[in-house]
Amino acid sequence: MSTIFDALPRVPFIAPDSREELCFRHWRPEEVVLGRPMGDWLRPAVAYWHSFVGTGADPFGAPTLPRPWDDSMDGARAKAEAAFAFMERLGLPFFCFHDRDVAPEGASLREGVRHLDAMAEVLQAHMARTGIRLLWGTANLFSHPRYMAGAATNPDPEVFACACVQVRHAMEVTQRLGGENYVLWGGREGYDTLLNTDLAREDAQLGRFLNLVVEHKHRIGFTGTLLIEPKPHEPTKHQYDRDVATVYGFLARHRLLGEVKVNIEANHATLAGHSFEHEIAMAASLGLLGSVDINRGDPQNGWDTDQFPTNAQELVPAMLEILRAGGLGSGGFNFDAKLRRQSVAVDDLLHAHVGGMDSCAEALRWAARLIEDGRLETARRARYAGEPWTGTLADIADAALARDIAPQPRSGRQERLENLVAAAARPSA
Ligand code: XLS
Ligand code: CA
Ligand code: CA
């Protein structure tokens, strides 16, 4: 079968000063960074939905991108063929998908299950042929009209049961394909208005659902990591998994700590009013850091634009937090990013991933340089070098009064530290 991507070249690795555009200048999976291959730090993945399902349609206009397959099983096979043709040419090691990206919904719940089983075999054959692996699978619990009022949090128990069907099956298919993680993004687990919403009831349903998912994971012996992906809003006005700290509270409340980690998306972090690095540092400090969806928003827009990252310097603080945390383990960098509506040339998708990948690789190198340099870590340690006082509140207060202490202000040295980061990210450094 021929595909729209067949004419694309395989992306070569070329020296940084080459004028060739479709090549990796910085991404060298085998290059050792802080004692570990770059490929092990980054574990990059192509997102099936944006790259092969998204059409460029928006609320104001029709599809623009050439994606010549329909929503039938033949269409799903043609799409898979094209997806792997593209991924082979790009040469990244992983991909991620939703059940509905790879297999059509069909006319009933049962037909949807049969379609996914059939497509799992097709994917398995492509994976065996190309060596491309599955970073994570997930279930789409937000597109079908039945989920308009949520999946696990839906007031209708039958909709909750539909979510059970899809998640059980998508997790089992992920296991069958050797997937290393399973993601739960609660796109419609939230509300549009409090006037019709029982918050306590919806929290209890979501907690019960996740406990069932964890129990099933252990029952089938799936060894991958379960990941919740926080997002504050869009498509609903308010989403329950709004940010990492909120997810931690939810997991603690439902006795799920130690069972589930987080998949942090850069654009979701900024929508929540945080930075990407804040969410990564928060997850690492709470023992929840699992994986990342790498993309960027647009500072002028208040929505989820899911653009490819192109500015390595901007990514350095996030990389630094990942290095400080010792890496992502079984997680990776999923390019949850989409082409702009006008990017209708077939090679636009290749340019997008090449630029995104090189930005991540370069940022990783620069962040590693900062760790090797050591001055940042030394400054941070020195800030906390004081011995903590012990005893009761009264003991500490009495001792302070007895000595009539007068602690002297010390500089946070922010500008000096920012200069160190900027210098590490200067190509001439
Ligand atoms: C949407 C989310 C979604 C998840 C997977 O905003 O990013 O694509 O990553 O369901
Ligand atoms: Ca995402
Ligand atoms: Ca997004």
Side-chain angles (χ1 to χ4, degrees), residues 49-50 136 185 229 263 265 268 293 295 304 306 334 336:
W49 52 101
H50 283 313
W136 51 261
W185 172 60
E229 183 177 322
N263 179 42
E265 180 176 317
H268 297 181
D293 272 7
N295 59 16
D304 194 16
D306 286 338
N334 170 44
D336 195 351

Side-chain angles (χ1 to χ4, degrees), residues 194-205:
L194 280 173
L195 295 177
N196 62 15
T197 303
D198 180 339
L199 278 184
R201 172 70 190 248
E202 300 209 354
D203 181 69
Q205 284 187 206

Side-chain angles (χ1 to χ4, degrees), residues 263-285:
N263 179 42
I264 299 170
E265 180 176 317
N267 202 170
H268 297 181
T270 51
L271 281 182
H274 300 304
S275 62
F276 187 30
E277 54 270 25
H278 164 89
E279 287 290 80
I280 293 169
M282 184 59 82
S285 77

Side-chain angles (χ1 to χ4, degrees), residues 339-396:
L339 293 175
R340 298 307 93 186
R341 193 161 181 266
Q342 297 177 52
S343 303
V344 297
V346 170
D347 67 353
D348 287 329
L349 194 59
L350 213 48
H351 281 280
H353 283 87
V354 165
M357 194 60 245
D358 265 348
S359 302
C360 293
E362 204 167 25
L364 176 77
R365 239 191 243 133
W366 288 340
R369 201 184 280 182
L370 282 162
I371 300 270
E372 277 163 348
D373 172 87
R375 279 176 289 175
L376 273 186
E377 296 307 305
T378 305
R380 191 162 65 147
R381 264 199 309 277
R383 208 159 166 250
Y384 295 93
E387 267 307 304
W389 292 24
T390 57
T392 64
L393 185 72
D395 292 340
I396 295 173

